[in-house]
mmCIF file of all heavy atoms in Angstrom:
data_model
loop_
_atom_site.group_PDB
_atom_site.id
_atom_site.type_symbol
_atom_site.label_atom_id
_atom_site.label_comp_id
_atom_site.label_asym_id
_atom_site.label_seq_id
_atom_site.Cartn_x
_atom_site.Cartn_y
_atom_site.Cartn_z
ATOM 1 N N CYS A 82 4.874 25.765 108.559
ATOM 2 C CA CYS A 82 5.814 25.582 107.471
ATOM 3 C C CYS A 82 7.168 26.204 107.782
ATOM 4 O O CYS A 82 7.340 26.942 108.737
ATOM 5 C CB CYS A 82 5.238 26.193 106.188
ATOM 6 S SG CYS A 82 4.989 27.987 106.313
ATOM 7 N N THR A 83 8.129 25.934 106.889
ATOM 8 C CA THR A 83 9.449 26.533 106.996
ATOM 9 C C THR A 83 9.401 27.937 106.389
ATOM 10 O O THR A 83 8.375 28.359 105.824
ATOM 11 C CB THR A 83 10.497 25.695 106.221
ATOM 12 O OG1 THR A 83 10.184 25.754 104.825
ATOM 13 C CG2 THR A 83 10.474 24.251 106.691
ATOM 14 N N ALA A 84 10.535 28.627 106.401
ATOM 15 C CA ALA A 84 10.601 29.974 105.819
ATOM 16 C C ALA A 84 10.409 29.932 104.319
ATOM 17 O O ALA A 84 10.078 30.943 103.703
ATOM 18 C CB ALA A 84 11.956 30.587 106.137
ATOM 19 N N ASN A 85 10.591 28.752 103.712
ATOM 20 C CA ASN A 85 10.410 28.590 102.262
ATOM 21 C C ASN A 85 9.014 28.113 101.911
ATOM 22 O O ASN A 85 8.698 27.913 100.710
ATOM 23 C CB ASN A 85 11.437 27.606 101.703
ATOM 24 C CG ASN A 85 12.869 28.113 101.842
ATOM 25 O OD1 ASN A 85 13.122 29.309 101.690
ATOM 26 N ND2 ASN A 85 13.791 27.218 102.152
ATOM 27 N N GLY A 86 8.172 27.909 102.918
ATOM 28 C CA GLY A 86 6.814 27.481 102.636
ATOM 29 C C GLY A 86 6.629 25.974 102.589
ATOM 30 O O GLY A 86 5.510 25.467 102.388
ATOM 31 N N THR A 87 7.724 25.229 102.734
ATOM 32 C CA THR A 87 7.643 23.783 102.697
ATOM 33 C C THR A 87 7.234 23.251 104.091
ATOM 34 O O THR A 87 7.406 23.944 105.092
ATOM 35 C CB THR A 87 8.995 23.173 102.316
ATOM 36 O OG1 THR A 87 10.004 23.641 103.230
ATOM 37 C CG2 THR A 87 9.367 23.597 100.893
ATOM 38 N N PRO A 88 6.734 22.024 104.157
ATOM 39 C CA PRO A 88 6.366 21.487 105.469
ATOM 40 C C PRO A 88 7.578 21.266 106.358
ATOM 41 O O PRO A 88 8.674 21.001 105.865
ATOM 42 C CB PRO A 88 5.693 20.137 105.112
ATOM 43 C CG PRO A 88 6.189 19.790 103.762
ATOM 44 C CD PRO A 88 6.402 21.073 103.075
ATOM 45 N N ILE A 89 7.379 21.455 107.639
ATOM 46 C CA ILE A 89 8.461 21.217 108.607
ATOM 47 C C ILE A 89 8.708 19.730 108.690
ATOM 48 O O ILE A 89 7.772 18.931 108.779
ATOM 49 C CB ILE A 89 8.085 21.754 109.987
ATOM 50 C CG1 ILE A 89 7.838 23.268 109.922
ATOM 51 C CG2 ILE A 89 9.164 21.447 111.019
ATOM 52 C CD1 ILE A 89 7.212 23.865 111.180
ATOM 53 N N SER A 90 9.958 19.302 108.642
ATOM 54 C CA SER A 90 10.260 17.882 108.730
ATOM 55 C C SER A 90 10.085 17.401 110.177
ATOM 56 O O SER A 90 10.215 18.169 111.133
ATOM 57 C CB SER A 90 11.690 17.609 108.276
ATOM 58 O OG SER A 90 12.644 18.066 109.225
ATOM 59 N N VAL A 91 9.802 16.107 110.297
ATOM 60 C CA VAL A 91 9.663 15.517 111.624
ATOM 61 C C VAL A 91 10.957 15.639 112.392
ATOM 62 O O VAL A 91 10.967 15.969 113.598
ATOM 63 C CB VAL A 91 9.226 14.033 111.507
ATOM 64 C CG1 VAL A 91 9.276 13.357 112.879
ATOM 65 C CG2 VAL A 91 7.843 13.927 110.896
ATOM 66 N N ARG A 92 12.083 15.411 111.733
ATOM 67 C CA ARG A 92 13.408 15.500 112.395
ATOM 68 C C ARG A 92 13.614 16.904 112.955
ATOM 69 O O ARG A 92 14.059 17.059 114.104
ATOM 70 C CB ARG A 92 14.491 15.165 111.408
ATOM 71 C CG ARG A 92 15.897 15.152 112.037
ATOM 72 C CD ARG A 92 16.960 14.994 110.970
ATOM 73 N NE ARG A 92 16.922 13.709 110.325
ATOM 74 C CZ ARG A 92 17.543 12.628 110.767
ATOM 75 N NH1 ARG A 92 18.259 12.697 111.883
ATOM 76 N NH2 ARG A 92 17.487 11.501 110.100
ATOM 77 N N ASN A 93 13.314 17.928 112.156
ATOM 78 C CA ASN A 93 13.529 19.314 112.634
ATOM 79 C C ASN A 93 12.584 19.677 113.765
ATOM 80 O O ASN A 93 12.930 20.449 114.680
ATOM 81 C CB ASN A 93 13.407 20.301 111.473
ATOM 82 C CG ASN A 93 14.626 20.289 110.580
ATOM 83 O OD1 ASN A 93 15.680 19.815 110.966
ATOM 84 N ND2 ASN A 93 14.481 20.772 109.346
ATOM 85 N N MET A 94 11.370 19.143 113.702
ATOM 86 C CA MET A 94 10.417 19.438 114.785
ATOM 87 C C MET A 94 10.877 18.796 116.074
ATOM 88 O O MET A 94 10.756 19.379 117.151
ATOM 89 C CB MET A 94 9.015 18.929 114.400
ATOM 90 C CG MET A 94 7.942 19.317 115.423
ATOM 91 S SD MET A 94 7.787 21.129 115.603
ATOM 92 C CE MET A 94 7.549 21.274 117.364
ATOM 93 N N GLN A 95 11.427 17.588 115.992
ATOM 94 C CA GLN A 95 11.943 16.932 117.181
ATOM 95 C C GLN A 95 13.124 17.698 117.751
ATOM 96 O O GLN A 95 13.275 17.835 118.989
ATOM 97 C CB GLN A 95 12.394 15.497 116.862
ATOM 98 C CG GLN A 95 11.244 14.569 116.480
ATOM 99 C CD GLN A 95 10.408 14.115 117.694
ATOM 100 O OE1 GLN A 95 10.357 14.785 118.725
ATOM 101 N NE2 GLN A 95 9.715 12.995 117.574
ATOM 102 N N ARG A 96 13.989 18.279 116.892
ATOM 103 C CA ARG A 96 15.096 19.071 117.379
ATOM 104 C C ARG A 96 14.582 20.323 118.104
ATOM 105 O O ARG A 96 15.081 20.700 119.172
ATOM 106 C CB ARG A 96 15.974 19.501 116.200
ATOM 107 C CG ARG A 96 16.852 18.381 115.648
ATOM 108 C CD ARG A 96 17.643 18.908 114.466
ATOM 109 N NE ARG A 96 18.446 17.853 113.865
ATOM 110 C CZ ARG A 96 18.750 17.798 112.563
ATOM 111 N NH1 ARG A 96 18.282 18.735 111.759
ATOM 112 N NH2 ARG A 96 19.502 16.823 112.097
ATOM 113 N N ALA A 97 13.603 20.979 117.480
ATOM 114 C CA ALA A 97 13.031 22.182 118.108
ATOM 115 C C ALA A 97 12.375 21.833 119.431
ATOM 116 O O ALA A 97 12.466 22.594 120.412
ATOM 117 C CB ALA A 97 12.005 22.812 117.147
ATOM 118 N N TRP A 98 11.736 20.659 119.504
ATOM 119 C CA TRP A 98 11.051 20.245 120.714
ATOM 120 C C TRP A 98 12.043 20.068 121.877
ATOM 121 O O TRP A 98 11.756 20.433 123.015
ATOM 122 C CB TRP A 98 10.317 18.943 120.445
ATOM 123 C CG TRP A 98 9.535 18.406 121.592
ATOM 124 C CD1 TRP A 98 9.712 17.207 122.213
ATOM 125 C CD2 TRP A 98 8.430 19.022 122.281
ATOM 126 N NE1 TRP A 98 8.793 17.039 123.234
ATOM 127 C CE2 TRP A 98 7.989 18.157 123.278
ATOM 128 C CE3 TRP A 98 7.759 20.236 122.095
ATOM 129 C CZ2 TRP A 98 6.934 18.457 124.138
ATOM 130 C CZ3 TRP A 98 6.698 20.559 122.954
ATOM 131 C CH2 TRP A 98 6.301 19.665 123.966
ATOM 132 N N LYS A 99 13.209 19.544 121.573
ATOM 133 C CA LYS A 99 14.236 19.398 122.614
ATOM 134 C C LYS A 99 14.621 20.756 123.181
ATOM 135 O O LYS A 99 14.769 20.940 124.391
ATOM 136 C CB LYS A 99 15.454 18.684 122.069
ATOM 137 C CG LYS A 99 15.279 17.187 121.847
ATOM 138 C CD LYS A 99 16.579 16.530 121.422
ATOM 139 C CE LYS A 99 16.390 15.031 121.263
ATOM 140 N NZ LYS A 99 17.638 14.368 120.857
ATOM 141 N N MET A 100 14.771 21.740 122.288
ATOM 142 C CA MET A 100 15.124 23.087 122.738
ATOM 143 C C MET A 100 14.000 23.712 123.542
ATOM 144 O O MET A 100 14.247 24.415 124.540
ATOM 145 C CB MET A 100 15.463 23.965 121.517
ATOM 146 C CG MET A 100 16.757 23.623 120.824
ATOM 147 S SD MET A 100 17.235 24.848 119.584
ATOM 148 C CE MET A 100 15.898 24.659 118.392
ATOM 149 N N ILE A 101 12.762 23.462 123.136
ATOM 150 C CA ILE A 101 11.607 24.007 123.834
ATOM 151 C C ILE A 101 11.536 23.476 125.256
ATOM 152 O O ILE A 101 11.346 24.232 126.234
ATOM 153 C CB ILE A 101 10.319 23.668 123.060
ATOM 154 C CG1 ILE A 101 10.217 24.483 121.778
ATOM 155 C CG2 ILE A 101 9.076 23.917 123.940
ATOM 156 C CD1 ILE A 101 9.172 24.001 120.792
ATOM 157 N N LEU A 102 11.737 22.161 125.419
ATOM 158 C CA LEU A 102 11.660 21.562 126.745
ATOM 159 C C LEU A 102 12.810 22.042 127.618
ATOM 160 O O LEU A 102 12.639 22.282 128.823
ATOM 161 C CB LEU A 102 11.690 20.026 126.636
ATOM 162 C CG LEU A 102 10.461 19.382 126.013
ATOM 163 C CD1 LEU A 102 10.586 17.860 126.083
ATOM 164 C CD2 LEU A 102 9.177 19.823 126.708
ATOM 165 N N LYS A 103 13.957 22.213 127.034
ATOM 166 C CA LYS A 103 15.121 22.705 127.803
ATOM 167 C C LYS A 103 14.844 24.145 128.258
ATOM 168 O O LYS A 103 15.123 24.485 129.424
ATOM 169 C CB LYS A 103 16.381 22.678 126.946
ATOM 170 C CG LYS A 103 17.641 23.100 127.677
ATOM 171 C CD LYS A 103 18.870 22.969 126.798
ATOM 172 C CE LYS A 103 20.126 23.403 127.557
ATOM 173 N NZ LYS A 103 21.342 23.269 126.708
ATOM 174 N N HIS A 104 14.256 24.948 127.407
ATOM 175 C CA HIS A 104 13.929 26.336 127.766
ATOM 176 C C HIS A 104 12.892 26.381 128.865
ATOM 177 O O HIS A 104 12.956 27.266 129.733
ATOM 178 C CB HIS A 104 13.405 27.058 126.520
ATOM 179 C CG HIS A 104 12.991 28.465 126.768
ATOM 180 N ND1 HIS A 104 13.879 29.461 127.091
ATOM 181 C CD2 HIS A 104 11.741 29.050 126.761
ATOM 182 C CE1 HIS A 104 13.230 30.598 127.260
ATOM 183 N NE2 HIS A 104 11.948 30.387 127.080
ATOM 184 N N ALA A 105 11.923 25.454 128.830
ATOM 185 C CA ALA A 105 10.850 25.429 129.841
ATOM 186 C C ALA A 105 11.278 24.682 131.116
ATOM 187 O O ALA A 105 10.522 24.648 132.076
ATOM 188 C CB ALA A 105 9.597 24.788 129.247
ATOM 189 N N ASN A 106 12.494 24.086 131.068
ATOM 190 C CA ASN A 106 12.999 23.283 132.207
ATOM 191 C C ASN A 106 12.055 22.137 132.538
ATOM 192 O O ASN A 106 11.733 21.869 133.711
ATOM 193 C CB ASN A 106 13.217 24.184 133.437
ATOM 194 C CG ASN A 106 14.093 23.508 134.486
ATOM 195 O OD1 ASN A 106 14.935 22.656 134.140
ATOM 196 N ND2 ASN A 106 13.926 23.867 135.748
ATOM 197 N N VAL A 107 11.598 21.457 131.492
ATOM 198 C CA VAL A 107 10.736 20.292 131.622
ATOM 199 C C VAL A 107 11.496 19.061 131.129
ATOM 200 O O VAL A 107 12.133 19.132 130.075
ATOM 201 C CB VAL A 107 9.429 20.470 130.797
ATOM 202 C CG1 VAL A 107 8.632 19.165 130.787
ATOM 203 C CG2 VAL A 107 8.596 21.616 131.359
#
């Protein structure tokens, strides 16, 4: 969930995923 307890949006998860892959150099 988000900091407010609401579900994470698909759009925000995709944004986070891009950052995760960049950090892992994948």
Side-chain angles (χ1 to χ4, degrees):
C82 63
T83 67
N85 296 321
T87 56
I89 299 169
S90 72
V91 172
R92 184 189 293 272
N93 284 342
M94 186 61 220
Q95 293 285 24
R96 285 178 183 149
W98 182 242
K99 286 185 178 181
M100 290 190 294
I101 289 166
L102 292 185
K103 184 177 181 180
H104 178 68
N106 197 27
V107 172

